[in-house]
Every structure is written in C-alpha cells, then in structure tokens.
Amino acid sequence: MEKKNIVVLFGGQSSEHVVSCMSVQNVAANINEEKYNVILVGITEDGHWVKVDSLSQVKDDTWRESKTGAVLSPDAKEKCLIVTENGSFEKIPVDVVFPVLHGLYGEDGTVQGILELAKIPYVGCGVLASAVSMDKLSTKRMVSGLGICQAAYVSVMKAELKDMDAVIAKIEKEIPYPVFVKPSKAGSSQGVNQAKDREELQAALLEAAKHDTKILVEETIKGREIECAVLGGKNVKASDVGEIKAADTFYTYEAKYNNPDSKTDTHPELPEGALEKVREDAVAIFKAVDGFGLSRVDFFLEHGTNEVIFNEINTLPGFTNISMYPMLWREKGIDTTELVTELIELAFERK
C-alpha cells in the first residue's frame, strides 16, 4: 500500500514554542513510518514556516536555520504543501496534518481554520472546540450550563486597567484573597500569578495583560491538582487520572518544566467516587465544547470537602517525556506509538 504524507507542524508563535519543540520529538518519533512519510514543518517564533529535514535538527535546535520555506495551500483542490527554495517551488501532496502546536496560533482554531479551508484531515479538535477551550473565559461560560462545579471568577479587559482602582474594587467585591490571575488565552501557566493583596493583584494584572487583552481572575481553590485524558471521536473514552505535585505554590511554567522536584503520580489514592466523577465530567466537558480527537481536562479535588472542581481543558496537551496525557494512556495499556496512530486514524474518521 502506498504510504501517505503526513505534515507535522511544530514550534509556533505562542509562549509555548519551546514546549512544542519538545512535544514534536515524541510525536514524530512514534509515527508509523511504514504507513506515513513524515514531513516536518517548523514555525519560528516570528511566524516563518520552514521545511525541516530531520528530527535531529529539532533535537539540536538547528532547524530554524533551514532555507527551505514551506506553507500549506488553503486551496481545497490542491491539498498540498508548497515548498520553496532558491527561487523555485515544489508542491507536495498532503494527506493529513498533525499540528503539534500549543497555545496561540496553533491550539486556538487558527491553524484548524486553514486546514478546514484546504479540506485536509487533521489531528485534534476543530475550530470551535479549539477556540473555546483556548479562551478560559469562554470555557467557563460554556461549562456553566453543565452543572459542573468550577471556581468563582471575575473577567477583566485590558482596557479597563486604565482605572486600576476600579478594577481592583470590582475583584475584591466578588472574590476574597488570595486570587489567581490568568491571561484568558495562554498556556503552560505563562503569565499566571497568585495575588495575596492589592499590590500583588495590580502586578499580576499588568503581567497577565502582556499576554492577552482578556484576563481571568479566579478564587483560589485549595486542593489536589487532578488531570484526566480524553480520546475519541464518535466514541469518547476517558483515562484514569493523574495527580500533579508541584514544587511551587502552584504548577508554574518553571515548576512544570524546569524543577525536578515537581512530580506526577499516575496512581493517586482518591476518595470513593472521585475517579468516576472526574472521568464523567471530563467527557461531558469535552463533548460540550464539541471536542474531537484528544484533550486533557484538569480539575481540583478540594481539601476538606473532596469536591471535584473543574479547572480547564487543553485541546492539544503536551506530548513531552513528562507530559501527563501520554503517560495516562500508557497506564491504560496504550503506548505512545499506538496513541499517535489512533489520533491520526481519528483525523480520517472525521472526514
């Protein structure tokens, strides 16, 4: 059988660029090369698309030096990658795309929109689910109709910060300190801070505003951080759960990727009924946002009450060596090669 061409996108313009470059190494290495010709396309932090010759160039971080440009044609009749070099170009047919892109301009529906225009099958959630799930405020509003518990919150627009006193007064009226301040559309805990008083709140709001025009201010939930992996199309299944044990006040970017004291536990002991509740809510949230393919859904297990509280959903979760999504499926007997294969097959199922 003739092999199909799969374009694997990585890098990107978001604050999670480096994480994407780590994730793609696991994804690409686990694509069945008997079935697929793997074509790596990297997107630099300033948005330049280049064809990358080998995974070793990703590993040693020399891929950005590539002189070969590569862009996906949005023309549905072509379904191709246009490769340019030294003034000449070539059109390579594309059968499927795996966008290993985290955060803005990759996980937010933008790339998914290009692929819908081109009518090229692709791995993961579609435009709606990607856009809604990337925007934490939109996710909260979507989930509010499901009867699933989530943290109390206040939304703040960047333009409102011109009157900082009024913004702080609005927040203090609704939520007690300490609070979490998050950019509405950012991932890997970028721009997220906890504020214990007015001074810290002001600093946190200004920092979040560097990442997005919409800011989410949430009550602090004291509890265990629990994550659940979801997989499927018409038939959706949930993994068991993993627990994050952060080596910091919360799971910051530094704690997640650079602090060896942060741990993940794929066999946490949970109170009776908690596992079933997390798995049930994860699937319900995935379906509510019109999810497809994969997502990781994050919760808190509140201290004292053991109540399951929804935190957020990630439609293209990390695939690094320390990422919870592939770890949870390995615990269910699905190794990373099988997982990647199933995700690619789901892309064709959608079409």
Side-chain angles (χ1 to χ4, degrees):
M1 186 174 64
E2 186 178 353
K3 291 200 289 187
K4 294 181 178 180
N5 290 338
I6 181 168
V7 169
V8 182
L9 297 174
F10 70 95
Q13 298 180 66
S14 82
S15 56
E16 296 178 85
H17 177 93
V18 173
V19 182
S20 171
C21 293
M22 292 189 287
S23 288
V24 75
Q25 295 178 45
N26 270 357
V27 171
N30 284 284
I31 293 175
N32 186 344
E33 293 189 355
E34 292 183 1
K35 296 178 66 175
Y36 298 100
N37 294 310
V38 179
I39 304 167
L40 295 170
V41 175
I43 304 173
T44 65
E45 289 171 287
D46 58 0
H48 180 49
W49 292 41
V50 296
K51 184 174 179 293
V52 180
D53 292 332
S54 69
L55 200 54
S56 63
Q57 292 177 316
V58 182
K59 292 177 181 177
D60 64 20
D61 206 34
T62 60
W63 65 270
R64 294 176 183 80
E65 300 167 13
S66 173
K67 303 299 182 185
T68 307
V71 293
L72 287 164
S73 170
D75 191 324
K77 289 187 176 181
E78 294 195 317
K79 295 184 175 62
C80 73
L81 184 74
I82 302 173
V83 177
T84 59
E85 189 172 16
N86 297 325
S88 62
F89 72 92
E90 174 190 6
K91 293 182 179 180
I92 301 175
V94 177
D95 297 295
V96 62
V97 172
F98 199 137
V100 190
L101 296 165
H102 309 306
L104 293 175
Y105 312 119
E107 194 180 348
D108 60 353
T110 49
V111 166
Q112 289 75 14
I114 293 173
L115 296 168
E116 290 286 347
L117 283 172
K119 294 187 178 178
I120 297 174
Y122 59 94
V123 171
C125 289
V127 175
L128 176 63
S130 300
V132 167
S133 301
M134 188 68 215
D135 190 311
K136 295 178 177 64
L137 283 167
S138 296
T139 307
K140 278 190 163 291
R141 290 163 181 156
M142 186 79 80
V143 172
S144 64
L146 299 178
I148 292 172
C149 186
Q150 55 185 334
Y153 69 97
V154 173
S155 63
V156 177
M157 301 300 294
K158 183 176 181 177
E160 294 180 65
L161 299 183
K162 293 176 182 177
D163 189 348
M164 184 64 76
D165 289 340
V167 169
I168 290 175
K170 178 175 74 170
I171 294 167
E172 290 178 335
K173 182 180 178 182
E174 297 294 328
I175 311 173
Y177 291 108
V179 297
F180 275 105
V181 182
K182 307 175 179 179
S184 190
K185 290 181 289 189
S188 286
S189 303
Q190 295 281 35
V192 177
N193 286 284
Q194 188 179 49
K196 298 185 289 293
D197 53 39
R198 281 194 167 199
E199 184 179 352
E200 290 185 356
L201 177 57
Q202 179 170 325
L205 288 166
L206 293 173
E207 177 61 27
K210 295 177 183 177
H211 296 264
D212 195 12
T213 58
K214 290 193 292 185
I215 301 166
L216 174 69
V217 183
E218 285 183 310
E219 69 169 320
T220 295
I221 302 295
K222 295 180 179 179
R224 299 163 65 183
E225 295 188 49
I226 303 295
E227 299 183 347
C228 182
V230 180
L231 174 67
K234 294 175 184 176
N235 300 309
V236 181
K237 55 189 175 185
S239 69
D240 289 337
V241 304
E243 181 175 4
I244 300 297
K245 297 180 179 179
D248 206 335
T249 310
F250 64 100
Y251 209 28
T252 62
Y253 183 90
E254 282 298 313
K256 188 174 296 185
Y257 295 107
N258 298 322
N259 193 326
D261 293 330
S262 289
K263 305 295 181 185
T264 53
D265 182 359
T266 53
H267 294 283
E269 291 189 15
L270 301 178
E272 185 178 353
L275 172 60
E276 292 75 16
K277 175 65 173 170
V278 168
R279 296 178 75 236
E280 179 184 310
D281 285 358
V283 171
I285 292 164
F286 183 73
K287 289 181 176 180
V289 300
D290 197 30
F292 190 95
L294 76 162
S295 285
R296 193 195 72 235
V297 191
D298 301 346
F299 298 87
F300 295 109
L301 193 62
E302 189 174 35
H303 291 324
T305 67
N306 285 329
E307 185 167 18
V308 173
I309 301 173
F310 169 63
N311 183 21
E312 62 184 29
I313 179 171
N314 295 271
T315 54
L316 208 301
F319 257 86
T320 72
N321 289 326
I322 62 168
S323 294
M324 186 69 86
Y325 189 85
M327 288 171 60
L328 287 172
W329 288 118
R330 281 199 295 272
E331 292 296 327
K332 298 290 282 186
I334 303 174
D335 66 28
T336 304
T337 299
E338 292 176 284
L339 179 60
V340 168
T341 298
E342 184 167 351
L343 289 169
I344 296 169
E345 289 173 351
L346 282 168
F348 292 108
E349 177 187 304
R350 171 165 44 203
K351 289 294 181 183

